Coordinates of all heavy atoms in Angstrom, one line a residue:
F1 N 10.4 7.0 4.9 CA 11.6 6.5 5.5 C 11.5 6.6 7.0 O 11.2 7.6 7.5 CB 12.8 7.2 5.0 CG 12.9 7.3 3.5 CD1 12.6 8.3 2.7 CD2 13.4 6.1 2.8 CE1 12.7 8.4 1.4 CE2 13.5 6.1 1.4 CZ 13.2 7.3 0.7
R2 N 12.0 5.6 7.7 CA 12.1 5.7 9.2 C 13.3 6.5 9.5 O 13.0 7.5 10.3 CB 12.3 4.3 9.8 CG 11.1 3.6 10.2 CD 11.4 2.4 11.0 NE 10.4 1.8 11.6 CZ 9.6 2.4 12.5 NH1 10.0 3.5 13.1 NH2 8.6 1.7 13.1
F3 N 14.5 6.4 8.9 CA 15.6 7.2 9.2 C 16.6 7.0 8.0 O 16.8 5.8 7.6 CB 16.3 6.8 10.5 CG 17.6 7.5 10.6 CD1 17.5 8.9 11.0 CD2 18.9 7.0 10.2 CE1 18.8 9.6 11.1 CE2 20.0 7.8 10.5 CZ 19.9 9.1 10.8
K4 N 17.2 8.0 7.5 CA 18.0 7.9 6.5 C 19.0 9.1 6.7 O 18.7 10.2 7.0 CB 17.4 8.1 5.2 CG 18.1 7.6 3.9 CD 17.2 7.6 2.7 CE 17.9 6.8 1.6 NZ 17.1 6.8 0.4
D5 N 20.4 8.9 6.6 CA 21.4 9.9 6.9 C 21.1 11.2 5.9 O 21.3 12.3 6.4 CB 22.8 9.4 6.6 CG 23.3 8.4 7.7 OD1 22.8 8.6 8.8 OD2 24.2 7.7 7.4
S6 N 20.7 11.0 4.6 CA 20.5 12.0 3.8 C 19.4 11.7 2.8 O 19.5 10.6 2.3 CB 21.8 12.4 3.1 OG 21.5 13.3 2.1
L7 N 18.6 12.7 2.5 CA 17.6 12.5 1.4 C 18.0 13.3 0.1 O 17.3 13.2 -0.8 CB 16.3 13.1 1.8 CG 15.6 12.3 3.0 CD1 14.3 13.0 3.4 CD2 15.3 10.9 2.7
A8 N 19.2 13.7 0.0 CA 19.7 14.5 -1.1 C 19.5 13.7 -2.4 O 19.0 14.3 -3.3 CB 21.2 15.0 -0.8
E9 N 19.9 12.5 -2.5 CA 19.9 11.8 -3.7 C 18.4 11.5 -4.1 O 18.0 11.6 -5.2 CB 20.6 10.4 -3.6 CG 20.6 9.6 -4.9 CD 21.2 10.3 -6.2 OE1 22.0 11.2 -6.0 OE2 20.8 9.9 -7.2
D10 N 17.6 11.2 -3.1 CA 16.2 10.9 -3.3 C 15.5 12.2 -3.8 O 14.7 12.1 -4.8 CB 15.4 10.4 -2.0 CG 16.0 9.1 -1.6 OD1 15.9 8.2 -2.3 OD2 16.7 9.1 -0.5
L11 N 15.9 13.3 -3.2 CA 15.3 14.6 -3.7 C 15.7 14.9 -5.0 O 14.9 15.4 -5.9 CB 15.7 15.7 -2.8 CG 14.9 15.7 -1.3 CD1 15.6 16.8 -0.5 CD2 13.5 15.9 -1.5
R12 N 16.9 14.6 -5.4 CA 17.4 15.0 -6.7 C 16.8 14.2 -7.8 O 16.4 14.7 -8.8 CB 19.0 14.5 -6.8 CG 19.6 15.0 -8.1 CD 21.0 14.5 -8.3 NE 21.2 13.0 -8.4 CZ 20.7 12.3 -9.5 NH1 20.3 13.0 -10.5 NH2 20.8 11.1 -9.5
R13 N 16.4 13.0 -7.5 CA 15.7 12.1 -8.5 C 14.1 12.3 -8.5 O 13.5 11.9 -9.5 CB 16.0 10.7 -8.2 CG 17.4 10.2 -8.5 CD 17.6 8.9 -8.2 NE 16.9 8.4 -7.1 CZ 17.1 7.4 -6.4 NH1 17.9 6.4 -6.7 NH2 16.3 7.0 -5.3
A14 N 13.6 13.0 -7.5 CA 12.1 13.1 -7.4 C 11.4 14.0 -8.4 O 12.0 15.0 -8.7 CB 11.8 13.6 -6.0
D15 N 10.4 13.6 -8.8 CA 9.5 14.5 -9.7 C 8.5 15.2 -8.7 O 8.0 16.3 -9.2 CB 8.8 13.7 -10.7 CG 9.7 13.1 -11.7 OD1 10.7 13.7 -12.1 OD2 9.4 11.9 -12.1
L16 N 8.2 14.7 -7.6 CA 7.2 15.2 -6.7 C 7.6 14.7 -5.4 O 8.0 13.6 -5.2 CB 5.8 14.8 -7.1 CG 4.7 15.1 -6.0 CD1 4.4 16.6 -6.0 CD2 3.4 14.4 -6.3
V17 N 7.5 15.6 -4.3 CA 7.8 15.2 -2.9 C 6.5 15.4 -2.1 O 5.9 16.4 -2.2 CB 8.9 16.0 -2.3 CG1 9.2 15.7 -0.8 CG2 10.2 15.8 -3.1
I18 N 6.2 14.3 -1.4 CA 5.1 14.4 -0.3 C 5.7 14.3 1.0 O 6.5 13.3 1.3 CB 4.0 13.3 -0.6 CG1 3.5 13.4 -1.9 CG2 3.0 13.4 0.5 CD1 2.7 12.1 -2.3
S19 N 5.4 15.3 1.9 CA 6.2 15.4 3.1 C 5.3 16.0 4.2 O 4.3 16.5 4.0 CB 7.5 16.2 3.0 OG 8.2 16.4 4.2
H20 N 5.8 15.7 5.5 CA 5.2 16.4 6.6 C 5.7 17.8 6.4 O 6.4 18.2 5.6 CB 5.6 15.8 7.9 CG 7.0 16.0 8.3 ND1 7.4 16.3 9.7 CD2 8.1 15.9 7.6 CE1 8.7 16.5 9.7 NE2 9.2 16.3 8.4
A21 N 5.2 18.7 7.3 CA 5.4 20.1 7.2 C 6.6 20.6 8.2 O 6.6 21.7 8.5 CB 4.2 20.9 7.5
G22 N 7.6 19.8 8.4 CA 8.7 20.1 9.2 C 9.5 21.2 8.4 O 9.6 21.0 7.2
A23 N 10.1 22.1 9.1 CA 10.8 23.2 8.4 C 12.0 22.6 7.5 O 12.2 23.0 6.3 CB 11.3 24.2 9.5
G24 N 12.8 21.7 8.1 CA 13.9 21.2 7.3 C 13.4 20.4 6.0 O 14.0 20.6 5.0
S25 N 12.4 19.6 6.2 CA 11.9 18.8 5.1 C 11.5 19.9 4.0 O 11.7 19.7 2.8 CB 10.8 17.9 5.5 OG 11.3 17.0 6.5
C26 N 10.6 20.8 4.3 CA 10.1 21.8 3.4 C 11.2 22.6 2.7 O 11.3 22.7 1.5 CB 9.1 22.7 4.1 SG 7.6 22.0 4.6
L27 N 12.0 23.2 3.5 CA 13.0 24.0 3.0 C 14.1 23.3 2.1 O 14.4 23.8 0.9 CB 13.8 24.9 4.0 CG 12.9 25.8 4.8 CD1 13.6 26.4 5.9 CD2 12.3 26.8 3.9
E28 N 14.5 22.1 2.4 CA 15.4 21.3 1.6 C 14.8 20.9 0.3 O 15.4 21.0 -0.7 CB 15.8 20.1 2.4 CG 16.9 19.3 1.7 CD 17.4 18.1 2.5 OE1 16.9 17.9 3.6 OE2 18.4 17.5 1.9
T29 N 13.5 20.6 0.4 CA 12.7 20.2 -0.9 C 12.6 21.4 -1.8 O 12.9 21.4 -3.0 CB 11.4 19.6 -0.6 OG1 11.6 18.5 0.2 CG2 10.6 19.3 -1.8
L30 N 12.2 22.5 -1.2 CA 12.0 23.8 -2.0 C 13.3 24.3 -2.6 O 13.3 24.8 -3.7 CB 11.2 24.8 -1.2 CG 9.8 24.5 -0.9 CD1 9.2 25.5 0.1 CD2 8.9 24.4 -2.0
E31 N 14.4 24.2 -1.8 CA 15.7 24.7 -2.3 C 16.1 23.9 -3.4 O 16.9 24.4 -4.3 CB 16.7 24.8 -1.2 CG 16.4 25.9 -0.3 CD 17.3 25.7 1.0 OE1 18.0 24.6 1.3 OE2 17.3 26.7 1.9
K32 N 15.7 22.7 -3.6 CA 16.1 21.7 -4.7 C 15.2 22.0 -5.9 O 15.4 21.4 -6.9 CB 15.9 20.3 -4.3 CG 17.0 19.9 -3.2 CD 18.2 19.6 -3.7 CE 19.2 19.0 -2.6 NZ 20.0 19.9 -1.8
G33 N 14.2 22.9 -5.7 CA 13.3 23.2 -6.9 C 12.2 22.1 -7.2 O 11.7 22.1 -8.2
K34 N 11.9 21.3 -6.2 CA 11.0 20.2 -6.4 C 9.6 20.6 -5.9 O 9.4 21.2 -4.9 CB 11.4 18.9 -5.5 CG 12.8 18.4 -6.0 CD 12.8 18.0 -7.4 CE 14.2 17.5 -7.9 NZ 14.2 16.8 -9.1
P35 N 8.5 20.2 -6.7 CA 7.2 20.4 -6.3 C 6.9 19.6 -5.0 O 7.4 18.5 -4.8 CB 6.3 20.0 -7.4 CG 7.1 19.1 -8.3 CD 8.6 19.5 -8.0
L36 N 6.2 20.3 -4.1 CA 6.0 19.7 -2.7 C 4.5 19.7 -2.4 O 3.9 20.8 -2.4 CB 6.8 20.5 -1.6 CG 6.7 20.2 -0.3 CD1 7.1 18.7 0.0 CD2 7.6 21.2 0.6
V37 N 4.0 18.5 -1.9 CA 2.8 18.4 -1.2 C 3.0 18.3 0.2 O 3.7 17.3 0.7 CB 1.9 17.3 -1.8 CG1 0.6 17.1 -1.1 CG2 1.6 17.6 -3.3
V38 N 2.5 19.2 1.1 CA 2.8 19.2 2.5 C 1.5 18.5 3.1 O 0.5 19.0 2.9 CB 3.0 20.6 3.0 CG1 3.1 20.6 4.5 CG2 4.3 21.1 2.4
V39 N 1.8 17.4 3.9 CA 0.6 16.9 4.6 C 0.8 17.2 6.1 O 1.7 16.8 6.8 CB 0.7 15.2 4.4 CG1 -0.5 14.6 5.2 CG2 0.6 15.0 3.0
I40 N -0.2 17.8 6.6 CA -0.1 18.5 8.0 C -0.6 17.4 8.9 O -1.5 16.7 8.8 CB -1.0 19.6 8.1 CG1 -0.5 20.8 7.2 CG2 -1.0 20.1 9.6 CD1 -1.5 21.8 7.0
N41 N 0.3 17.2 9.9 CA -0.1 16.3 11.1 C -0.9 17.0 12.1 O -0.3 17.8 12.9 CB 1.2 15.7 11.7 CG 0.9 14.8 12.8 OD1 -0.2 14.6 13.3 ND2 1.9 14.0 13.2
E42 N -2.2 16.9 12.0 CA -3.1 17.8 12.9 C -3.0 17.3 14.4 O -3.6 18.0 15.1 CB -4.4 17.7 12.3 CG -4.5 18.4 10.9 CD -5.9 18.2 10.3 OE1 -6.5 17.2 10.6 OE2 -6.2 19.2 9.6
K43 N -2.4 16.2 14.6 CA -2.3 15.7 16.0 C -1.2 16.3 16.8 O -1.0 16.0 18.0 CB -2.3 14.2 16.0 CG -3.6 13.6 15.4 CD -3.5 12.1 15.4 CE -4.9 11.5 14.8 NZ -4.8 10.2 14.7
L44 N -0.4 17.0 16.1 CA 0.8 17.6 16.9 C 0.4 18.7 17.9 O -0.5 19.5 17.5 CB 1.9 18.2 15.9 CG 2.6 17.3 15.1 CD1 3.6 18.0 14.1 CD2 3.5 16.3 15.9
M45 N 1.1 18.6 19.1 CA 0.7 19.7 20.0 C 1.0 21.0 19.4 O 2.1 21.3 18.9 CB 1.5 19.4 21.3 CG 1.1 20.4 22.5 SD 2.1 19.9 23.8 CE 0.9 19.0 24.8
N46 N 0.1 22.0 19.6 CA 0.3 23.4 19.2 C 0.3 23.5 17.6 O 0.5 24.5 17.1 CB 1.4 24.1 19.8 CG 1.3 24.3 21.3 OD1 0.2 24.4 21.8 ND2 2.4 24.1 21.9
N47 N 0.4 22.4 17.0 CA 0.2 22.2 15.5 C 1.2 23.2 14.8 O 0.8 24.0 13.9 CB -1.1 22.3 15.0 CG -1.3 21.6 13.6 OD1 -0.3 21.0 13.1 ND2 -2.5 21.5 13.1
H48 N 2.5 23.4 15.2 CA 3.4 24.3 14.7 C 3.6 24.1 13.1 O 3.9 25.1 12.4 CB 4.7 24.3 15.4 CG 5.5 23.0 15.2 ND1 5.0 21.9 16.0 CD2 6.4 22.5 14.4 CE1 5.9 20.8 15.6 NE2 6.7 21.2 14.6
Q49 N 3.5 22.9 12.7 CA 3.6 22.7 11.3 C 2.6 23.3 10.4 O 2.8 23.8 9.3 CB 3.6 21.2 10.9 CG 4.8 20.5 11.4 CD 4.9 19.1 11.0 OE1 3.9 18.5 10.3 NE2 5.8 18.2 11.4
L50 N 1.4 23.6 10.9 CA 0.3 24.2 10.3 C 0.7 25.6 9.8 O 0.4 26.1 8.7 CB -0.9 24.2 11.0 CG -2.2 24.8 10.5 CD1 -2.6 24.1 9.3 CD2 -3.4 24.8 11.5
E51 N 1.3 26.4 10.7 CA 1.7 27.8 10.4 C 2.6 27.8 9.2 O 2.4 28.6 8.3 CB 2.3 28.4 11.6 CG 1.4 28.6 12.8 CD 2.2 29.3 14.0 OE1 3.0 30.3 13.7 OE2 2.0 28.8 15.1
L52 N 3.7 26.9 9.2 CA 4.6 27.0 8.1 C 3.9 26.6 6.8 O 4.0 27.2 5.8 CB 5.8 26.1 8.5 CG 6.8 25.9 7.3 CD1 7.5 27.3 7.0 CD2 7.9 24.9 7.7
A53 N 3.2 25.5 6.9 CA 2.5 25.0 5.7 C 1.6 26.0 5.1 O 1.5 26.3 3.9 CB 1.8 23.7 6.0
K54 N 0.8 26.6 5.9 CA -0.1 27.6 5.4 C 0.5 28.7 4.8 O 0.1 29.3 3.7 CB -1.1 28.1 6.5 CG -2.2 27.1 6.9 CD -3.3 27.7 7.7 CE -4.4 26.6 7.8 NZ -5.6 27.2 8.5
Q55 N 1.6 29.3 5.4 CA 2.4 30.4 4.8 C 3.0 30.0 3.6 O 2.8 30.8 2.4 CB 3.4 30.9 5.8 CG 4.1 32.2 5.4 CD 3.1 33.3 5.2 OE1 2.4 33.7 6.2 NE2 3.0 34.0 4.0
L56 N 3.5 28.9 3.4 CA 4.2 28.4 2.1 C 3.0 28.3 1.1 O 3.4 28.5 -0.1 CB 5.0 27.1 2.4 CG 6.4 27.2 3.1 CD1 6.9 25.9 3.4 CD2 7.3 28.2 2.4
H57 N 2.0 27.8 1.6 CA 0.8 27.7 0.6 C 0.3 29.1 0.1 O 0.1 29.3 -1.0 CB -0.3 26.8 1.2 CG -1.5 26.6 0.3 ND1 -1.5 25.8 -0.8 CD2 -2.8 27.3 0.4 CE1 -2.6 25.8 -1.3 NE2 -3.4 26.8 -0.7
R58 N 0.1 29.9 1.1 CA -0.3 31.3 0.7 C 0.7 32.0 -0.3 O 0.3 32.7 -1.1 CB -0.4 32.2 2.0 CG -1.7 32.0 2.8 CD -1.9 33.2 3.7 NE -0.9 33.1 4.9 CZ -1.1 32.3 5.9 NH1 -2.1 31.8 6.2 NH2 -0.1 32.4 6.9
D59 N 1.9 31.7 -0.1 CA 2.9 32.3 -1.0 C 3.1 31.6 -2.2 O 3.8 32.0 -3.1 CB 4.3 32.3 -0.2 CG 4.4 33.2 0.9 OD1 3.5 34.1 1.0 OD2 5.3 33.1 1.7
G60 N 2.3 30.5 -2.4 CA 2.2 29.7 -3.7 C 3.4 28.7 -3.9 O 3.5 28.3 -5.0
H61 N 4.1 28.4 -2.9 CA 5.2 27.4 -3.1 C 4.9 26.0 -2.9 O 5.7 25.1 -3.5 CB 6.4 27.8 -2.0 CG 6.9 29.2 -2.2 ND1 7.3 29.7 -3.4 CD2 6.8 30.3 -1.4 CE1 7.7 30.9 -3.2 NE2 7.3 31.3 -2.0
V62 N 3.8 25.7 -2.2 CA 3.5 24.2 -1.9 C 1.9 24.0 -2.0 O 1.1 25.0 -2.0 CB 3.8 23.7 -0.5 CG1 5.4 24.1 -0.2 CG2 3.1 24.5 0.6
L63 N 1.6 22.8 -2.2 CA 0.2 22.4 -2.0 C 0.1 21.8 -0.7 O 1.0 21.3 -0.2 CB -0.1 21.3 -3.0 CG 0.0 21.8 -4.5 CD1 -0.3 20.6 -5.5 CD2 -1.0 22.9 -4.9
C64 N -1.0 22.0 0.0 CA -1.2 21.7 1.4 C -2.5 20.9 1.6 O -3.5 21.2 1.0 CB -1.3 23.0 2.1 SG -1.1 22.9 3.9
C65 N -2.4 19.8 2.4 CA -3.5 19.1 2.7 C -3.3 18.4 4.1 O -2.3 18.5 4.7 CB -3.8 18.0 1.6 SG -2.4 16.8 1.5
N66 N -4.3 17.5 4.4 CA -4.1 16.6 5.6 C -4.2 15.1 5.2 O -4.5 15.0 3.9 CB -5.0 17.0 6.7 CG -6.5 16.9 6.3 OD1 -7.0 16.1 5.5 ND2 -7.2 17.9 6.8
C67 N -4.2 14.3 6.1 CA -4.2 12.9 5.6 C -5.5 12.5 4.9 O -5.5 11.7 3.9 CB -4.0 11.9 6.8 SG -2.3 11.9 7.5
S68 N -6.6 13.0 5.3 CA -7.9 12.7 4.7 C -8.1 13.4 3.4 O -9.0 12.9 2.7 CB -8.9 13.0 5.7 OG -9.1 14.4 6.0
T69 N -7.3 14.4 3.1 CA -7.6 15.0 1.7 C -6.4 14.8 0.8 O -6.4 15.4 -0.3 CB -7.8 16.5 1.9 OG1 -6.6 17.1 2.6 CG2 -9.1 16.8 2.7
L70 N -5.5 13.9 1.1 CA -4.2 13.7 0.3 C -4.6 13.2 -1.1 O -4.2 13.7 -2.1 CB -3.3 12.8 1.0 CG -2.0 12.4 0.2 CD1 -1.1 13.6 -0.2 CD2 -1.1 11.5 1.1
V71 N -5.4 12.1 -1.1 CA -5.8 11.5 -2.3 C -6.5 12.5 -3.3 O -6.2 12.7 -4.4 CB -6.6 10.2 -2.2 CG1 -7.2 9.7 -3.6 CG2 -5.9 9.2 -1.5
E72 N -7.4 13.3 -2.7 CA -8.1 14.3 -3.5 C -7.1 15.3 -4.0 O -7.2 15.8 -5.1 CB -9.2 14.9 -2.6 CG -9.9 16.1 -3.3 CD -10.9 16.8 -2.3 OE1 -11.3 16.1 -1.4 OE2 -11.2 17.9 -2.6
T73 N -6.1 15.8 -3.2 CA -5.2 16.8 -3.5 C -4.4 16.3 -4.7 O -4.2 16.9 -5.7 CB -4.3 17.1 -2.4 OG1 -5.1 17.7 -1.3 CG2 -3.2 18.1 -2.7
L74 N -3.9 15.1 -4.6 CA -3.1 14.5 -5.7 C -3.9 14.3 -7.0 O -3.3 14.6 -8.1 CB -2.6 13.1 -5.3 CG -1.6 13.1 -4.1 CD1 -1.2 11.7 -3.7 CD2 -0.2 13.8 -4.5
Q75 N -5.1 14.0 -6.9 CA -5.9 13.9 -8.2 C -6.2 15.2 -8.8 O -6.3 15.2 -10.0 CB -7.2 13.2 -7.8 CG -7.1 11.7 -7.5 CD -8.3 10.9 -6.9 OE1 -9.3 11.7 -6.4 NE2 -8.4 9.7 -7.0
S76 N -6.4 16.2 -8.0 CA -6.8 17.6 -8.7 C -5.7 18.6 -8.7 O -5.9 19.7 -9.2 CB -7.9 18.1 -7.8 OG -7.4 18.4 -6.5
M77 N -4.3 18.2 -8.3 CA -3.3 19.1 -8.3 C -2.9 19.7 -9.7 O -3.0 19.0 -10.6 CB -2.1 18.7 -7.5 CG -1.4 17.5 -8.2 SD -0.1 16.9 -7.2 CE 0.6 15.5 -8.3
D78 N -2.5 21.0 -9.7 CA -1.9 21.6 -10.8 C -0.6 22.1 -10.5 O -0.5 23.2 -10.0 CB -2.9 22.6 -11.4 CG -2.2 23.3 -12.7 OD1 -1.2 23.0 -13.1 OD2 -2.9 24.2 -13.2
L79 N 0.5 21.3 -10.7 CA 1.8 21.8 -10.3 C 2.4 23.0 -11.0 O 3.2 23.7 -10.5 CB 2.8 20.6 -10.5 CG 2.6 19.4 -9.6 CD1 3.5 18.2 -9.9 CD2 2.5 19.6 -8.1
S80 N 1.7 23.4 -12.0 CA 2.2 24.5 -12.9 C 1.7 25.9 -12.1 O 2.4 26.9 -12.4 CB 1.6 24.5 -14.2 OG 0.2 24.8 -14.2
T81 N 0.9 25.7 -11.1 CA 0.6 26.9 -10.3 C 1.5 27.2 -9.2 O 1.6 28.3 -8.7 CB -0.8 26.8 -9.7 OG1 -0.8 25.7 -8.7 CG2 -1.9 26.4 -10.8
L82 N 2.5 26.3 -8.9 CA 3.5 26.6 -7.8 C 4.6 27.6 -8.3 O 5.1 27.4 -9.4 CB 4.0 25.3 -7.4 CG 3.1 24.2 -6.8 CD1 3.8 22.9 -6.4 CD2 2.5 24.8 -5.6
K83 N 4.9 28.4 -7.3 CA 6.0 29.4 -7.6 C 7.3 28.9 -7.1 O 7.3 28.2 -6.0 CB 5.6 30.7 -6.9 CG 4.4 31.4 -7.5 CD 4.1 32.6 -6.5 CE 2.7 33.2 -7.0 NZ 2.4 34.3 -6.0
P84 N 8.4 29.2 -7.8 CA 9.7 28.8 -7.4 C 10.0 29.5 -5.9 O 9.6 30.6 -5.8 CB 10.6 29.3 -8.4 CG 9.9 29.6 -9.5 CD 8.4 29.9 -9.1
F85 N 10.7 28.8 -5.1 CA 11.0 29.3 -3.8 C 12.3 30.1 -4.1 O 13.3 29.6 -4.6 CB 11.3 28.1 -2.8 CG 11.4 28.5 -1.4 CD1 10.3 29.0 -0.7 CD2 12.7 28.5 -0.8 CE1 10.5 29.4 0.6 CE2 12.8 28.9 0.5 CZ 11.7 29.3 1.3
P86 N 12.3 31.3 -3.5 CA 13.5 32.2 -3.7 C 14.7 31.7 -2.9 O 14.6 31.1 -1.8 CB 13.0 33.6 -3.1 CG 11.9 33.3 -2.2 CD 11.3 32.0 -2.7
P87 N 15.9 31.8 -3.5 CA 17.1 31.3 -2.8 C 17.4 32.0 -1.5 O 17.0 33.3 -1.4 CB 18.3 31.5 -3.8 CG 17.7 32.5 -4.7 CD 16.3 32.4 -4.8
G88 N 18.0 31.4 -0.6 CA 18.3 32.1 0.7 C 19.4 33.2 0.4 O 20.1 33.2 -0.5
Q89 N 19.5 34.1 1.4 CA 20.5 35.2 1.3 C 21.1 35.2 2.7 O 21.0 36.2 3.4 CB 19.8 36.6 1.0 CG 19.0 36.5 -0.3 CD 18.4 37.7 -0.7 OE1 17.8 38.4 0.1 NE2 18.3 38.1 -1.9
P90 N 22.1 34.3 2.9 CA 22.7 34.3 4.2 C 23.6 35.5 4.4 O 23.8 35.9 5.6 CB 23.6 33.0 4.0 CG 23.7 32.6 2.7 CD 22.5 33.1 2.0
E91 N 24.1 36.1 3.3 CA 24.9 37.3 3.6 C 24.1 38.5 4.1 O 24.7 39.2 4.9 CB 25.5 37.7 2.2 CG 24.6 38.2 1.2 CD 23.9 37.1 0.4 OE1 24.4 35.9 0.5 OE2 23.0 37.4 -0.3
K92 N 22.8 38.5 3.9 CA 22.0 39.6 4.5 C 21.8 39.3 6.0 O 21.8 40.2 6.8 CB 20.6 39.6 3.8 CG 20.6 40.4 2.5 CD 19.3 40.7 1.9 CE 19.4 41.4 0.6 NZ 18.0 41.7 0.1
F93 N 21.6 38.0 6.3 CA 21.6 37.7 7.7 C 22.8 38.0 8.5 O 22.8 38.6 9.5 CB 21.1 36.2 7.9 CG 21.0 35.8 9.3 CD1 19.9 36.3 10.2 CD2 21.9 35.0 10.0 CE1 19.9 35.9 11.5 CE2 21.8 34.7 11.2 CZ 20.7 35.1 12.0
A94 N 24.0 37.7 7.9 CA 25.3 37.9 8.5 C 25.4 39.4 8.8 O 25.9 39.8 9.8 CB 26.4 37.4 7.6
L95 N 25.1 40.3 7.7 CA 25.2 41.7 7.9 C 24.3 42.2 9.1 O 24.7 43.0 9.9 CB 24.9 42.4 6.6 CG 25.8 42.3 5.5 CD1 25.3 42.8 4.2 CD2 27.2 43.0 6.0
F96 N 23.1 41.7 9.1 CA 22.2 42.0 10.2 C 22.7 41.6 11.5 O 22.7 42.4 12.4 CB 20.8 41.4 10.0 CG 19.9 41.4 11.1 CD1 19.2 42.6 11.4 CD2 19.6 40.3 12.0 CE1 18.4 42.7 12.5 CE2 18.8 40.4 13.0 CZ 18.1 41.6 13.3
L97 N 23.3 40.4 11.6 CA 23.7 39.9 12.9 C 25.0 40.7 13.3 O 25.1 41.1 14.5 CB 24.1 38.4 12.7 CG 24.4 37.6 13.9 CD1 23.3 37.8 14.9 CD2 24.7 36.2 13.7
D98 N 25.8 41.1 12.4 CA 27.0 42.0 12.6 C 26.6 43.3 13.3 O 27.1 43.8 14.2 CB 27.8 42.2 11.4 CG 28.7 41.0 11.0 OD1 28.9 40.0 11.9 OD2 29.2 41.0 9.9
K99 N 25.5 43.8 12.7 CA 25.0 45.1 13.1 C 24.4 45.0 14.5 O 24.6 45.8 15.4 CB 23.9 45.6 12.1 CG 23.5 47.1 12.5 CD 22.4 47.5 11.5 CE 23.1 47.9 10.2 NZ 22.3 48.5 9.3
V100 N 23.6 43.9 14.8 CA 23.0 43.7 16.1 C 24.1 43.5 17.2 O 23.9 44.0 18.3 CB 22.1 42.5 16.1 CG1 21.7 42.0 17.5 CG2 20.8 42.8 15.3
V101 N 25.2 42.8 16.9 CA 26.2 42.6 17.9 C 27.3 43.6 18.0 O 28.1 43.5 18.8 CB 26.8 41.1 17.9 CG1 25.7 40.1 18.1 CG2 27.5 41.0 16.5
G102 N 27.2 44.6 17.1 CA 28.1 45.7 17.1 C 29.4 45.6 16.4 O 30.4 46.3 16.6
F103 N 29.4 44.7 15.4 CA 30.6 44.5 14.6 C 30.7 45.5 13.4 O 31.7 45.5 12.8 CB 30.8 43.1 14.1 CG 31.0 42.1 15.1 CD1 30.4 40.8 15.1 CD2 31.9 42.3 16.2 CE1 30.6 40.0 16.0 CE2 32.1 41.4 17.2 CZ 31.5 40.2 17.1
Q104 N 29.7 46.3 13.2 CA 29.7 47.2 12.1 C 29.5 48.7 12.6 O 28.9 48.9 13.6 CB 28.5 47.0 11.2 CG 28.8 46.0 10.2 CD 27.7 45.9 9.1 OE1 26.5 46.3 9.3 NE2 28.1 45.5 7.9

């Protein structure tokens, strides 16, 4: 998609998501419990997407490839090996933040 206000309905209906490794795209997909193949854009300056993609892959949450290995990845993938992404815990962050700024 070039631009879309929300991908929520597309994600809800998807059986598999293929995406770049942007944090928002990855986390929104994983929070919906959808299997994710992350395609790293190796031409990005400092390649910040690579760090996130590799960590999510090491943790077993995504499959990871680049443009030249995408077809091979899709042909050989085993989605049953992917681990569910744990739900966020915003209350823990809020408690931490309260402690840091002195509200506790």
